[in-house]
């Protein structure tokens, strides 16, 4: 069926459902509610294995329904936010309810559109790779549209995920590299923050002050890179005066292979993503 034959989602009134009530679903729901993008009564989920997951959604005012099937029946847009090892079984179980007037979205890591579309029985599907800073409204997400998802569907999903950070659009063949960079990248930066703080402690700073300075320094540097439009190399040069402290520190990083190590980390994570998606 052609995408143009699908019913348009009414952006002012549509209902959003989460299949899977984990941290990422909570972050997206929280962002949508707090930004005013969606009122809580238009969002639903269901809780199964962990009753403690009910509280975050209750506190947002999101509807918690008895079963996944109730969420699908209630919703116009359905986000599959379950673990990758169970997404196939979950989609197949709900397939009779996944009618073509519903827009389906997956944030399950490593699960390809062609498989999702086959399990669901139609291709009005959008795959999104978010990352954990969605919990503080600073996600770096990337999406790819399935065969029958319309441009309007894409815009709706972009606005939804835009409520928890920034979102880009890319070909699905790039998704393993995206997982290696933005998906796994926060962990690399946490290591860097911890190491900077340890360096501060080694130089004599109290631990709390060192951690605060390290975190804020990384935040500030990232903001400079994203907001000034300057190349990171130029920003680095702006800090490093001749014969000064910064160039001495940079020299040590270069001797330690800092750039190559980060590049290798992204490449290794991307390779592992490919392996997992093929298994």
């Amino acid at each position: 069926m052609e995408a143009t034959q699908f019913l348009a989602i009414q952006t002012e009134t549509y209902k959003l459902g989460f299949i899977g009530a984990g941290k990422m679903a909570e972050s997206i729901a929280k962002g949508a509610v707090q930004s005013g993008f969606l009122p809580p009564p238009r969002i639903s989920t269901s809780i199964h294995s962990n009753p403690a997951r009910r509280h975050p959604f209750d506190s947002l005012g999101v509807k918690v329904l008895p079963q996944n099937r109730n969420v699908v029946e209630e919703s116009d847009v359905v986000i599959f936010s379950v673990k990758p090892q169970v997404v196939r079984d979950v989609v197949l179980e709900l397939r009779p309810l996944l009618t073509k007037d519903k827009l389906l979205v997956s944030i399950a890591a490593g699960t390809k559109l062609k498989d999702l579309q086959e399990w669901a029985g139609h291709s009005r599907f959008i795959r999104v790779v978010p990352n954990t800073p969605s919990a503080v409204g600073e996600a770096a997400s990337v999406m790819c549209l399935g065969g029958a998802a319309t441009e309007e569907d894409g815009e709706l999903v972009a606005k939804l995920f835009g409520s928890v950070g920034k979102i880009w659009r890319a070909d699905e063949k790039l998704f393993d590299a995206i997982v290696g960079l933005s998906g796994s990248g926060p962990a690399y930066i946490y290591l860097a923050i911890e190491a900077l703080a340890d360096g501060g402690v080694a130089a004599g700073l109290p631990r709390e002050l060192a951690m605060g300075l390290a975190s804020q320094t990384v935040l500030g540097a990232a903001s400079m890179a994203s907001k000034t439009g300057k190349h990171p190399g130029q920003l680095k040069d702006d800090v490093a005066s001749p014969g000064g402290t910064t160039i001495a520190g940079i020299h040590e990083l270069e001797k330690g292979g800092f750039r190559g190590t980060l590049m290798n980390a992204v490449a290794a994570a991307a390779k592992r993503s490919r392996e997992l998606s093929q298994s």
Side-chain angles (χ1 to χ4, degrees), residues 122-143:
H122 68 81
S123 56
R124 194 179 189 181
F125 229 123
I126 294 179
R127 181 182 170 194
V128 181
V129 177
N131 66 0
T132 54
S134 62
V136 292
E138 294 291 349
S141 303
V142 183
M143 69 175 183

Side-chain angles (χ1 to χ4, degrees), residues 17-26 28 44-49 53 57 67-69 71-72 78-94 98 105-112 116 119 125 127-130 161:
F18 290 94
I19 305 300
K23 292 286 189 182
M24 193 64 74
E26 177 190 342
I28 297 164
S44 65
T45 190
S46 62
I47 311 294
H48 297 287
S49 57
R53 293 302 305 150
F57 292 93
Q67 300 291 332
N68 283 340
R69 63 178 294 111
V71 175
V72 174
V78 179
I79 297 182
F80 290 94
S81 47
V82 294
K83 296 187 184 303
Q85 58 265 35
V86 301
V87 65
R88 177 182 180 274
D89 291 343
V90 170
V91 175
L92 286 173
E93 179 187 349
L94 295 170
L98 302 176
V105 180
S106 171
I107 59 172
T111 309
K112 294 181 177 177
L116 292 163
W119 302 332
F125 229 123
R127 181 182 170 194
V128 181
V129 177
F161 282 83

Side-chain angles (χ1 to χ4, degrees), residues 7-210:
L7 291 173
I9 304 291
Q10 299 301 310
T11 57
E12 300 302 316
T13 57
Y14 79 89
K15 293 182 178 179
L16 173 67
F18 290 94
I19 305 300
K23 292 286 189 182
M24 193 64 74
E26 177 190 342
S27 296
I28 297 164
K30 185 177 180 181
V33 170
Q34 292 187 343
S35 67
F37 183 70
L38 276 179
R42 282 168 51 193
I43 306 174
S44 65
T45 190
S46 62
I47 311 294
H48 297 287
S49 57
N50 184 0
R53 293 302 305 150
R54 184 183 183 105
H55 174 70
F57 292 93
D58 279 342
S59 65
L60 285 171
V62 168
K63 286 195 276 190
V64 179
L65 302 176
Q67 300 291 332
N68 283 340
R69 63 178 294 111
N70 305 124
V71 175
V72 174
E73 289 166 346
E74 170 95 4
S75 304
D76 305 295
V77 179
V78 179
I79 297 182
F80 290 94
S81 47
V82 294
K83 296 187 184 303
Q85 58 265 35
V86 301
V87 65
R88 177 182 180 274
D89 291 343
V90 170
V91 175
L92 286 173
E93 179 187 349
L94 295 170
R95 177 172 173 152
L97 303 172
L98 302 176
T99 51
K100 294 173 183 176
D101 59 339
K102 297 182 187 294
L103 171 59
L104 310 180
V105 180
S106 171
I107 59 172
T111 309
K112 294 181 177 177
L113 274 171
K114 67 177 179 62
D115 295 321
L116 292 163
Q117 292 170 165
E118 181 182 330
W119 302 332
H122 68 81
S123 56
R124 194 179 189 181
F125 229 123
I126 294 179
R127 181 182 170 194
V128 181
V129 177
N131 66 0
T132 54
S134 62
V136 292
E138 294 291 349
S141 303
V142 183
M143 69 175 183
C144 178
L145 274 60
T150 65
E151 284 300 315
E152 290 77 14
D153 291 341
E155 289 170 12
L156 184 151
V157 169
K159 288 177 182 176
L160 174 60
F161 282 83
S163 71
V164 292
K166 294 183 180 179
I167 184 162
W168 290 263
R169 192 160 154 181
D171 192 290
E172 192 178 30
K173 68 183 180 183
L174 301 176
F175 272 31
D176 291 318
I178 288 162
V179 168
L181 177 54
S182 58
S184 300
Y188 316 153
I189 304 305
Y190 301 146
L191 277 178
I193 292 170
E194 184 181 34
L196 286 168
D198 284 347
V201 171
L205 294 179
R207 169 65 63 183
E208 186 177 354
L209 176 59

Side-chain angles (χ1 to χ4, degrees), residues 196 203 236-254:
L196 286 168
K236 177 261 296 178
D237 289 349
D238 291 345
V239 185
S241 54
T245 58
T246 303
I247 197 65
I250 289 171
H251 192 188
E252 291 301 314
L253 290 173
E254 296 289 13

